[in-house]
Coordinates of all heavy atoms in Angstrom, one line a residue:
M1 N -182.3 38.1 27.9 CA -180.9 38.4 27.7 C -180.5 39.6 28.4 O -181.2 40.6 28.5 CB -180.7 38.5 26.2 CG -179.4 39.2 25.9 SD -179.1 39.7 24.2 CE -180.5 39.1 23.3
I2 N -179.3 39.6 29.0 CA -178.8 40.8 29.7 C -177.6 41.4 28.8 O -176.7 40.7 28.5 CB -178.3 40.5 31.1 CG1 -179.4 40.0 31.9 CG2 -177.6 41.7 31.7 CD1 -179.0 39.5 33.3
L3 N -177.7 42.7 28.5 CA -176.6 43.3 27.8 C -175.6 43.8 28.8 O -175.9 44.2 29.8 CB -177.2 44.5 27.0 CG -178.3 44.2 26.0 CD1 -178.7 45.5 25.3 CD2 -177.7 43.3 24.9
R4 N -174.3 43.7 28.4 CA -173.2 44.2 29.2 C -172.7 45.5 28.7 O -172.6 45.7 27.6 CB -172.1 43.2 29.2 CG -172.5 41.8 29.6 CD -172.6 41.7 31.1 NE -173.1 40.3 31.4 CZ -172.6 39.6 32.3 NH1 -171.6 40.0 33.1 NH2 -173.1 38.4 32.5
S5 N -172.5 46.4 29.6 CA -172.0 47.7 29.3 C -170.5 47.7 29.0 O -169.8 47.1 29.7 CB -172.3 48.7 30.4 OG -171.8 50.0 30.0
L6 N -170.1 48.4 27.9 CA -168.6 48.4 27.6 C -168.0 49.5 28.6 O -168.5 50.5 28.8 CB -168.4 48.9 26.2 CG -168.9 48.0 25.1 CD1 -168.7 48.7 23.8 CD2 -168.0 46.7 25.1
S7 N -166.8 49.1 29.1 CA -166.1 50.1 29.9 C -164.6 50.1 29.6 O -163.8 49.6 30.4 CB -166.3 49.7 31.4 OG -165.9 48.4 31.6
G8 N -164.3 50.5 28.4 CA -162.9 50.6 28.0 C -162.3 49.3 27.5 O -161.1 49.3 27.2
L9 N -163.0 48.2 27.4 CA -162.5 47.0 27.0 C -162.7 46.8 25.4 O -163.6 47.4 24.9 CB -163.3 45.8 27.6 CG -163.1 45.6 29.1 CD1 -164.0 44.5 29.6 CD2 -161.6 45.3 29.4
D10 N -161.8 46.1 24.8 CA -161.9 45.7 23.4 C -163.2 44.9 23.3 O -163.5 44.0 24.2 CB -160.7 44.9 23.0 CG -160.8 44.4 21.6 OD1 -160.4 45.1 20.7 OD2 -161.3 43.2 21.5
I11 N -164.0 45.1 22.2 CA -165.2 44.4 22.1 C -165.0 42.8 22.1 O -165.9 42.1 22.6 CB -166.0 44.9 20.9 CG1 -167.4 44.4 20.9 CG2 -165.4 44.5 19.6 CD1 -168.5 45.3 20.4
Y12 N -163.9 42.4 21.5 CA -163.7 40.9 21.5 C -163.3 40.4 22.9 O -163.7 39.3 23.2 CB -162.6 40.6 20.4 CG -163.1 40.8 19.0 CD1 -162.9 42.0 18.4 CD2 -163.9 39.8 18.4 CE1 -163.5 42.3 17.1 CE2 -164.4 40.1 17.1 CZ -164.2 41.3 16.5 OH -164.7 41.5 15.3
E13 N -162.6 41.2 23.6 CA -162.3 40.8 25.0 C -163.6 40.8 25.8 O -163.8 39.8 26.6 CB -161.3 41.8 25.7 CG -159.9 41.8 25.1 CD -159.0 42.9 25.7 OE1 -159.4 43.5 26.7 OE2 -158.0 43.1 25.1
L14 N -164.4 41.8 25.6 CA -165.6 41.8 26.4 C -166.5 40.6 26.1 O -167.1 40.1 27.0 CB -166.4 43.1 26.1 CG -167.7 43.3 26.8 CD1 -167.4 43.5 28.3 CD2 -168.4 44.5 26.3
S15 N -166.6 40.2 24.8 CA -167.5 39.1 24.5 C -167.0 37.8 25.2 O -167.8 36.9 25.3 CB -167.5 38.9 23.0 OG -166.3 38.3 22.5
E16 N -165.8 37.7 25.6 CA -165.3 36.5 26.3 C -165.7 36.5 27.7 O -165.6 35.5 28.4 CB -163.8 36.4 26.1 CG -163.3 36.1 24.7 CD -161.8 36.2 24.6 OE1 -161.1 36.3 25.6 OE2 -161.3 36.1 23.4
A17 N -166.2 37.6 28.2 CA -166.5 37.7 29.7 C -167.9 37.2 30.0 O -168.2 37.1 31.2 CB -166.4 39.2 30.1
F18 N -168.7 36.8 29.0 CA -170.0 36.2 29.3 C -170.4 35.2 28.3 O -169.7 35.0 27.3 CB -171.1 37.3 29.4 CG -171.1 38.2 28.2 CD1 -172.0 38.0 27.1 CD2 -170.3 39.4 28.1 CE1 -172.0 38.9 26.0 CE2 -170.3 40.2 27.0 CZ -171.2 39.9 26.0
D19 N -171.4 34.4 28.6 CA -171.8 33.3 27.8 C -172.3 33.7 26.4 O -173.0 34.7 26.3 CB -172.9 32.5 28.4 CG -172.4 31.8 29.7 OD1 -171.2 31.6 29.8 OD2 -173.2 31.5 30.6
T20 N -171.9 32.9 25.4 CA -172.4 33.2 24.0 C -173.8 32.6 23.9 O -174.0 31.5 24.4 CB -171.4 32.5 23.0 OG1 -170.1 33.0 23.2 CG2 -171.9 32.6 21.6
L21 N -174.7 33.3 23.3 CA -176.0 32.8 23.0 C -176.0 32.0 21.7 O -175.4 32.4 20.7 CB -177.0 34.0 22.8 CG -177.1 35.0 24.0 CD1 -177.9 36.2 23.6 CD2 -177.7 34.3 25.2
H22 N -176.7 30.9 21.7 CA -176.8 30.0 20.6 C -178.2 30.2 20.0 O -179.2 30.0 20.7 CB -176.5 28.6 20.9 CG -175.1 28.3 21.3 ND1 -174.1 28.0 20.4 CD2 -174.5 28.5 22.5 CE1 -173.0 27.9 21.1 NE2 -173.1 28.2 22.3
V23 N -178.2 30.6 18.7 CA -179.5 31.0 18.0 C -179.6 30.4 16.7 O -178.6 29.9 16.1 CB -179.6 32.5 17.9 CG1 -179.6 33.2 19.3 CG2 -178.5 33.1 17.1
D24 N -180.8 30.3 16.2 CA -181.0 29.8 14.8 C -180.8 30.8 13.8 O -180.9 32.0 14.0 CB -182.5 29.3 14.7 CG -182.8 28.1 15.6 OD1 -181.9 27.3 15.8 OD2 -183.9 28.0 16.1
K25 N -180.4 30.4 12.6 CA -180.2 31.2 11.4 C -181.4 32.1 11.2 O -182.6 31.6 11.3 CB -179.9 30.4 10.2 CG -178.6 29.7 10.2 CD -178.5 28.8 9.0 CE -177.2 28.0 9.1 NZ -177.1 27.0 8.0
G26 N -181.3 33.4 11.0 CA -182.4 34.3 10.7 C -183.3 34.6 11.8 O -184.4 35.2 11.6
A27 N -182.9 34.3 13.1 CA -183.7 34.6 14.2 C -183.9 36.1 14.4 O -183.0 36.9 13.9 CB -183.1 34.0 15.5
T28 N -184.9 36.5 15.0 CA -185.2 38.0 15.2 C -184.8 38.4 16.7 O -185.0 37.6 17.6 CB -186.7 38.3 15.0 OG1 -187.0 37.9 13.7 CG2 -187.0 39.7 15.2
V29 N -184.1 39.5 16.8 CA -183.7 40.1 18.1 C -184.7 41.3 18.4 O -184.8 42.1 17.5 CB -182.3 40.5 18.1 CG1 -181.9 41.2 19.4 CG2 -181.4 39.4 17.8
N30 N -185.2 41.3 19.5 CA -186.1 42.4 20.0 C -185.3 43.1 21.1 O -184.9 42.5 22.1 CB -187.4 41.9 20.4 CG -188.3 43.0 20.9 OD1 -188.2 43.5 22.0 ND2 -189.3 43.2 20.1
I31 N -185.2 44.4 21.0 CA -184.5 45.2 22.0 C -185.4 46.2 22.7 O -186.1 46.9 22.0 CB -183.2 45.8 21.4 CG1 -182.3 46.4 22.5 CG2 -183.6 46.8 20.4 CD1 -180.9 46.7 22.0
Q32 N -185.4 46.2 24.0 CA -186.2 47.2 24.7 C -185.5 47.8 25.9 O -184.6 47.1 26.5 CB -187.5 46.5 25.3 CG -188.3 45.9 24.2 CD -189.5 45.2 24.7 OE1 -189.7 45.0 25.9 NE2 -190.4 44.7 23.8
F33 N -185.8 49.0 26.2 CA -185.2 49.7 27.3 C -186.3 50.3 28.2 O -187.4 50.6 27.7 CB -184.3 50.9 26.8 CG -183.1 50.4 26.1 CD1 -183.1 50.3 24.7 CD2 -182.0 50.0 26.8 CE1 -182.0 49.8 24.0 CE2 -180.9 49.6 26.1 CZ -180.9 49.4 24.7
D34 N -186.1 50.4 29.5 CA -187.0 51.0 30.4 C -187.5 52.4 30.0 O -188.6 52.8 30.1 CB -186.5 51.0 31.8 CG -186.4 49.6 32.4 OD1 -187.0 48.7 31.9 OD2 -185.6 49.5 33.4
H35 N -186.5 53.2 29.5 CA -186.8 54.6 29.1 C -186.5 54.6 27.6 O -185.4 54.2 27.2 CB -186.0 55.6 29.9 CG -186.2 55.5 31.3 ND1 -187.4 56.0 31.9 CD2 -185.5 54.9 32.4 CE1 -187.3 55.7 33.2 NE2 -186.2 55.1 33.5
S36 N -187.4 55.1 26.8 CA -187.2 55.2 25.4 C -186.0 56.1 25.0 O -185.9 57.2 25.4 CB -188.4 55.8 24.7 OG -189.5 54.9 24.9
P37 N -185.0 55.5 24.2 CA -183.9 56.3 23.8 C -184.2 57.2 22.6 O -185.2 57.0 21.9 CB -182.9 55.2 23.4 CG -183.7 54.0 23.0 CD -185.0 54.1 23.9
S38 N -183.4 58.2 22.4 CA -183.5 59.1 21.3 C -182.9 58.4 20.0 O -183.3 58.7 18.9 CB -182.9 60.5 21.6 OG -181.6 60.3 22.0
S39 N -181.9 57.5 20.2 CA -181.4 56.8 19.1 C -180.8 55.5 19.5 O -180.3 55.4 20.6 CB -180.4 57.6 18.3 OG -179.2 57.7 19.0
I40 N -180.8 54.5 18.6 CA -180.1 53.2 18.8 C -179.3 52.9 17.5 O -179.9 53.0 16.4 CB -181.1 52.1 19.1 CG1 -182.0 52.4 20.3 CG2 -180.4 50.8 19.2 CD1 -183.1 51.4 20.5
K41 N -178.0 52.6 17.7 CA -177.2 52.2 16.5 C -176.7 50.8 16.9 O -176.2 50.6 18.0 CB -176.1 53.2 16.3 CG -176.6 54.5 15.8 CD -175.5 55.5 15.6 CE -176.0 56.9 15.3 NZ -175.0 57.9 15.4
I42 N -176.6 49.9 15.9 CA -176.2 48.6 16.1 C -175.1 48.3 15.1 O -175.3 48.5 13.9 CB -177.3 47.6 16.1 CG1 -178.4 47.9 17.1 CG2 -176.8 46.2 16.3 CD1 -179.7 47.2 17.0
K43 N -174.0 47.7 15.6 CA -172.9 47.2 14.7 C -172.8 45.7 14.9 O -172.9 45.2 16.0 CB -171.6 47.8 15.1 CG -171.3 49.2 14.7 CD -169.9 49.6 15.0 CE -169.7 51.0 14.8 NZ -168.3 51.4 15.2
Q44 N -172.6 45.0 13.8 CA -172.4 43.6 13.8 C -170.9 43.4 13.5 O -170.4 43.8 12.5 CB -173.2 42.9 12.8 CG -172.9 41.4 12.6 CD -173.6 40.8 11.5 OE1 -174.9 40.7 11.5 NE2 -172.9 40.3 10.4
W45 N -170.2 42.8 14.5 CA -168.8 42.4 14.3 C -168.7 41.0 13.9 O -169.3 40.1 14.5 CB -168.0 42.7 15.6 CG -168.0 44.1 16.0 CD1 -168.9 44.9 16.6 CD2 -166.9 45.0 15.7 NE1 -168.5 46.2 16.8 CE2 -167.3 46.3 16.2 CE3 -165.7 44.9 15.1 CZ2 -166.5 47.4 16.1 CZ3 -164.9 46.0 15.0 CH2 -165.3 47.3 15.5
N46 N -167.9 40.7 12.9 CA -167.8 39.4 12.3 C -166.5 38.7 12.8 O -165.6 39.4 13.4 CB -167.8 39.5 10.8 CG -169.1 40.1 10.3 OD1 -170.2 39.8 10.7 ND2 -168.9 41.2 9.5
E47 N -166.4 37.4 12.5 CA -165.2 36.6 13.0 C -163.9 37.2 12.4 O -162.8 37.1 13.0 CB -165.4 35.2 12.6 CG -166.5 34.5 13.4 CD -166.7 33.1 12.9 OE1 -167.1 32.9 11.7 OE2 -166.6 32.2 13.7
D48 N -163.9 37.8 11.2 CA -162.7 38.4 10.6 C -162.4 39.8 11.1 O -161.6 40.5 10.6 CB -162.8 38.4 9.1 CG -163.9 39.3 8.6 OD1 -164.6 39.9 9.4 OD2 -164.1 39.3 7.3
H49 N -163.1 40.2 12.2 CA -163.0 41.6 12.8 C -163.5 42.7 12.0 O -163.3 43.9 12.3 CB -161.5 41.8 13.3 CG -161.1 40.9 14.4 ND1 -160.5 41.4 15.5 CD2 -161.3 39.6 14.6 CE1 -160.3 40.4 16.4 NE2 -160.7 39.3 15.8
S50 N -164.2 42.4 10.9 CA -164.9 43.5 10.1 C -166.2 43.8 10.8 O -166.7 43.0 11.6 CB -165.1 43.0 8.7 OG -166.0 41.9 8.6
N51 N -166.8 44.9 10.5 CA -168.1 45.2 11.1 C -168.9 45.9 10.1 O -168.4 46.5 9.1 CB -167.9 46.0 12.4 CG -167.5 47.4 12.2 OD1 -168.2 48.3 11.7 ND2 -166.2 47.7 12.5
K52 N -170.2 45.9 10.4 CA -171.2 46.6 9.5 C -172.4 47.1 10.4 O -172.7 46.5 11.4 CB -171.7 45.8 8.4 CG -172.6 44.6 8.8 CD -173.1 43.9 7.6 CE -174.1 42.8 8.0 NZ -174.8 42.2 6.9
A53 N -173.0 48.2 9.9 CA -174.2 48.7 10.6 C -175.3 47.7 10.4 O -175.4 47.1 9.3 CB -174.5 50.1 10.1
V54 N -176.2 47.6 11.4 CA -177.3 46.7 11.3 C -178.6 47.6 11.2 O -178.7 48.6 11.9 CB -177.4 45.8 12.5 CG1 -178.7 45.0 12.6 CG2 -176.2 44.9 12.6
E55 N -179.5 47.2 10.3 CA -180.7 48.0 10.1 C -181.7 47.5 11.2 O -182.0 46.4 11.3 CB -181.3 47.6 8.7 CG -182.5 48.5 8.3 CD -182.0 49.9 7.8 OE1 -180.9 49.9 7.2 OE2 -182.8 50.8 7.9
L56 N -182.2 48.5 11.9 CA -183.1 48.3 13.0 C -184.5 48.6 12.5 O -184.7 49.7 12.0 CB -182.8 49.1 14.2 CG -183.5 48.9 15.5 CD1 -183.3 47.5 16.0 CD2 -183.1 49.9 16.6
Y57 N -185.5 47.7 12.6 CA -186.9 48.0 12.2 C -187.7 48.0 13.4 O -188.0 47.0 14.0 CB -187.3 46.9 11.3 CG -186.5 46.8 10.0 CD1 -185.5 45.9 9.9 CD2 -186.8 47.6 8.9 CE1 -184.7 45.8 8.7 CE2 -186.0 47.6 7.8 CZ -185.0 46.7 7.7 OH -184.2 46.6 6.5
G58 N -188.1 49.3 13.9 CA -188.8 49.4 15.1 C -187.8 49.1 16.2 O -186.8 49.7 16.4
D59 N -188.1 48.0 16.9 CA -187.2 47.6 18.0 C -186.6 46.2 17.7 O -186.3 45.4 18.6 CB -187.9 47.6 19.4 CG -189.2 46.8 19.4 OD1 -189.5 46.1 18.4 OD2 -189.8 46.8 20.5
E60 N -186.6 45.8 16.4 CA -186.1 44.5 16.0 C -185.1 44.5 14.9 O -185.1 45.4 14.1 CB -187.3 43.6 15.6 CG -188.3 43.3 16.6 CD -189.4 42.4 16.1 OE1 -189.6 42.3 14.8 OE2 -190.1 41.8 16.9
W61 N -184.3 43.4 14.8 CA -183.5 43.2 13.7 C -183.3 41.7 13.5 O -183.6 40.9 14.5 CB -182.1 43.9 13.7 CG -181.1 43.3 14.7 CD1 -180.1 42.4 14.3 CD2 -180.8 43.6 16.0 NE1 -179.3 42.1 15.4 CE2 -179.7 42.9 16.5 CE3 -181.4 44.5 16.9 CZ2 -179.2 43.0 17.7 CZ3 -180.9 44.6 18.2 CH2 -179.9 43.8 18.6
T62 N -182.9 41.3 12.3 CA -182.8 39.8 12.0 C -181.3 39.4 12.0 O -180.5 40.1 11.4 CB -183.4 39.6 10.6 OG1 -184.8 40.0 10.7 CG2 -183.3 38.1 10.3
L63 N -181.0 38.3 12.6 CA -179.6 37.8 12.7 C -179.3 37.2 11.3 O -180.2 36.8 10.5 CB -179.5 36.8 13.8 CG -179.7 37.3 15.2 CD1 -179.7 36.2 16.2 CD2 -178.7 38.4 15.5
P64 N -178.0 37.0 11.1 CA -177.6 36.4 9.8 C -178.1 35.0 9.5 O -178.5 34.3 10.5 CB -176.1 36.4 9.9 CG -175.7 37.3 11.0 CD -176.9 37.3 11.9
V65 N -178.2 34.6 8.3 CA -178.6 33.3 7.9 C -177.3 32.4 7.6 O -177.5 31.3 7.3 CB -179.5 33.3 6.7 CG1 -180.8 34.0 7.0 CG2 -178.8 34.0 5.5
V66 N -176.2 33.0 7.8 CA -174.9 32.3 7.6 C -174.4 31.9 9.0 O -174.3 32.7 9.9 CB -173.8 33.2 6.9 CG1 -172.5 32.5 6.8 CG2 -174.3 33.6 5.6
E67 N -174.1 30.6 9.2 CA -173.6 30.1 10.5 C -172.3 30.8 10.8 O -171.5 31.1 10.0 CB -173.4 28.6 10.4 CG -173.0 28.0 11.7 CD -172.9 26.5 11.6 OE1 -173.7 25.9 10.9 OE2 -172.0 25.9 12.3
G68 N -172.1 31.1 12.1 CA -170.9 31.7 12.6 C -171.0 32.4 13.9 O -172.1 32.4 14.5
H69 N -170.0 33.0 14.3 CA -169.9 33.8 15.6 C -170.0 35.3 15.3 O -169.2 35.8 14.5 CB -168.7 33.4 16.4 CG -168.6 34.1 17.7 ND1 -167.8 35.2 17.9 CD2 -169.2 33.8 18.9 CE1 -168.0 35.5 19.2 NE2 -168.8 34.7 19.8
Y70 N -170.9 36.0 15.9 CA -171.1 37.4 15.7 C -171.2 38.1 17.1 O -171.7 37.6 18.0 CB -172.4 37.7 14.9 CG -172.4 37.0 13.6 CD1 -173.0 35.7 13.5 CD2 -171.9 37.6 12.5 CE1 -173.0 35.1 12.3 CE2 -172.0 37.0 11.2 CZ -172.5 35.7 11.1 OH -172.6 35.1 9.9
I71 N -170.6 39.3 17.1 CA -170.7 40.2 18.3 C -171.5 41.4 17.9 O -171.3 42.0 16.8 CB -169.3 40.6 18.8 CG1 -168.5 39.4 19.2 CG2 -169.5 41.6 20.0 CD1 -167.0 39.7 19.5
Y72 N -172.5 41.8 18.7 CA -173.3 43.0 18.5 C -173.0 44.1 19.5 O -172.9 43.8 20.7 CB -174.8 42.6 18.5 CG -175.2 41.8 17.3 CD1 -175.1 40.4 17.3 CD2 -175.5 42.5 16.1 CE1 -175.4 39.7 16.2 CE2 -175.8 41.7 15.0 CZ -175.8 40.4 15.0 OH -176.0 39.7 13.9
E73 N -172.7 45.2 18.9 CA -172.4 46.4 19.7 C -173.7 47.3 19.6 O -174.1 47.7 18.5 CB -171.2 47.1 19.2 CG -170.8 48.4 19.9 CD -169.6 49.0 19.4 OE1 -169.1 48.6 18.3 OE2 -169.1 50.0 20.0
V74 N -174.3 47.7 20.7 CA -175.5 48.4 20.7 C -175.2 49.8 21.4 O -174.9 49.8 22.5 CB -176.6 47.7 21.5 CG1 -177.9 48.5 21.4 CG2 -176.9 46.3 20.9
I75 N -175.3 50.9 20.6 CA -175.0 52.2 21.0 C -176.3 53.0 21.2 O -177.0 53.1 20.2 CB -174.1 52.9 20.1 CG1 -172.8 52.1 19.9 CG2 -173.7 54.3 20.6 CD1 -172.1 52.4 18.6
V76 N -176.6 53.3 22.4 CA -177.9 53.9 22.8 C -177.7 55.3 23.3 O -176.9 55.5 24.2 CB -178.7 53.0 23.8 CG1 -180.1 53.5 24.0 CG2 -178.7 51.6 23.4
E77 N -178.5 56.2 22.8 CA -178.5 57.6 23.4 C -179.8 58.0 23.9 O -180.9 57.7 23.3 CB -178.0 58.6 22.2 CG -176.6 58.4 21.8 CD -176.1 59.5 20.9 OE1 -176.6 60.6 20.9 OE2 -175.3 59.2 20.0
W78 N -179.8 58.7 25.0 CA -181.0 59.3 25.6 C -180.7 60.8 25.7 O -179.5 61.3 25.5 CB -181.2 58.8 27.0 CG -181.6 57.4 27.1 CD1 -182.9 56.9 27.0 CD2 -180.7 56.2 27.2 NE1 -182.8 55.5 27.1 CE2 -181.5 55.1 27.2 CE3 -179.4 56.1 27.3 CZ2 -181.0 53.8 27.3 CZ3 -178.8 54.8 27.4 CH2 -179.7 53.7 27.4
N79 N -181.6 61.6 26.0 CA -181.4 63.1 26.2 C -180.4 63.4 27.2 O -179.7 64.4 27.1 CB -182.7 63.8 26.5 CG -183.7 63.7 25.4 OD1 -183.3 63.6 24.2 ND2 -185.0 63.8 25.7
N80 N -180.2 62.5 28.2 CA -179.3 62.8 29.3 C -178.1 61.9 29.4 O -177.4 61.9 30.4 CB -180.0 62.8 30.7 CG -180.6 61.4 30.9 OD1 -180.7 60.6 30.0 ND2 -181.1 61.1 32.1
G81 N -177.8 61.2 28.3 CA -176.6 60.3 28.3 C -176.6 59.3 27.2 O -177.5 59.3 26.4
K82 N -175.5 58.5 27.3 CA -175.3 57.6 26.2 C -174.7 56.3 26.9 O -174.0 56.4 27.9 CB -174.3 58.2 25.2 CG -173.8 57.3 24.1 CD -172.8 58.1 23.3 CE -172.2 57.2 22.2 NZ -171.3 58.0 21.3
A83 N -175.0 55.1 26.3 CA -174.4 53.9 26.8 C -174.1 53.0 25.6 O -174.8 53.0 24.6 CB -175.3 53.2 27.8
T84 N -173.1 52.1 25.7 CA -172.8 51.1 24.7 C -172.8 49.8 25.4 O -172.2 49.6 26.5 CB -171.4 51.4 24.1 OG1 -171.3 52.7 23.6 CG2 -171.1 50.4 23.0
Y85 N -173.5 48.8 24.7 CA -173.6 47.5 25.3 C -173.2 46.5 24.2 O -173.0 46.8 23.0 CB -175.1 47.2 25.5 CG -175.7 48.1 26.5 CD1 -176.4 49.3 26.1 CD2 -175.7 47.9 27.9 CE1 -177.0 50.2 27.0 CE2 -176.3 48.8 28.8 CZ -176.9 49.9 28.3 OH -177.5 50.8 29.2
A86 N -172.9 45.3 24.6 CA -172.4 44.3 23.7 C -172.9 42.9 24.1 O -173.1 42.6 25.3 CB -170.9 44.2 23.6
F87 N -173.2 42.0 23.1 CA -173.4 40.6 23.4 C -173.0 39.8 22.2 O -172.8 40.4 21.1 CB -174.9 40.4 23.7 CG -175.9 40.6 22.6 CD1 -176.3 39.6 21.8 CD2 -176.3 41.9 22.3 CE1 -177.2 39.8 20.7 CE2 -177.2 42.1 21.3 CZ -177.7 41.1 20.5
D88 N -172.8 38.5 22.3 CA -172.3 37.7 21.2 C -173.3 36.6 21.0 O -173.9 36.1 21.9 CB -170.9 37.3 21.3 CG -170.6 36.4 22.5 OD1 -171.3 36.5 23.5 OD2 -169.7 35.5 22.3
V89 N -173.3 36.1 19.8 CA -174.2 35.0 19.4 C -173.4 34.0 18.5 O -172.5 34.4 17.8 CB -175.5 35.4 18.7 CG1 -176.3 36.3 19.5 CG2 -175.2 36.1 17.3
H90 N -173.8 32.8 18.6 CA -173.3 31.8 17.6 C -174.6 31.4 16.8 O -175.5 30.8 17.4 CB -172.7 30.6 18.2 CG -172.2 29.6 17.2 ND1 -171.0 29.8 16.6 CD2 -172.7 28.5 16.6 CE1 -170.8 28.9 15.7 NE2 -171.9 28.1 15.7
V91 N -174.6 31.6 15.5 CA -175.7 31.3 14.7 C -175.5 29.9 14.2 O -174.4 29.5 13.6 CB -175.8 32.3 13.5 CG1 -176.9 31.8 12.5 CG2 -176.1 33.7 14.0
N92 N -176.5 29.0 14.5 CA -176.4 27.6 14.1 C -177.1 27.3 12.8 O -178.1 27.8 12.6 CB -177.0 26.7 15.2 CG -176.3 26.9 16.5 OD1 -175.1 26.8 16.6 ND2 -177.1 27.0 17.6

């Protein structure tokens, strides 16, 4: 999977710019970077435009067990900078 960097776009607009991933309920996401970040924060955006923080366990988290469309915002910090990425999934 390729994460897309946010550049001033609304997260919902950005999610329309690339293909939605179709995944099974409760699937695990593994996230890795070439250079280890000092912190990673993840937000799950729901269809009703609400969001919540996602608990990261090592370099993994579990997707919802409720069918629906979700957008993930991944905020990553390194000693020399910060980046925000997004991707969306449809949980089947």
Side-chain angles (χ1 to χ4, degrees):
M1 158 189 357
I2 297 175
L3 300 176
R4 305 283 176 132
S5 181
L6 293 173
S7 57
L9 293 175
D10 173 89
I11 193 147
Y12 290 93
E13 291 174 16
L14 182 66
S15 74
E16 294 173 5
F18 52 96
D19 294 336
T20 300
L21 301 170
H22 293 268
V23 297
D24 294 328
K25 296 175 183 174
T28 300
V29 176
N30 180 287
I31 189 164
Q32 296 178 357
F33 294 94
D34 290 340
H35 302 285
S36 294
S38 54
S39 74
I40 301 173
K41 295 178 186 170
I42 301 169
K43 283 185 189 177
Q44 174 186 295
W45 293 84
N46 304 308
E47 292 174 298
D48 65 0
H49 290 229
S50 65
N51 71 72
K52 68 176 187 173
V54 172
E55 191 81 29
L56 189 62
Y57 298 96
D59 58 1
E60 294 183 342
W61 76 92
T62 303
L63 295 176
V65 294
V66 176
E67 186 174 324
H69 183 255
Y70 302 91
I71 300 171
Y72 287 91
E73 180 179 9
V74 181
I75 303 158
V76 186
E77 291 187 32
W78 294 269
N79 293 336
N80 60 348
K82 176 179 173 178
T84 303
Y85 303 92
F87 67 96
D88 65 328
V89 299
H90 183 83
V91 173
N92 299 314

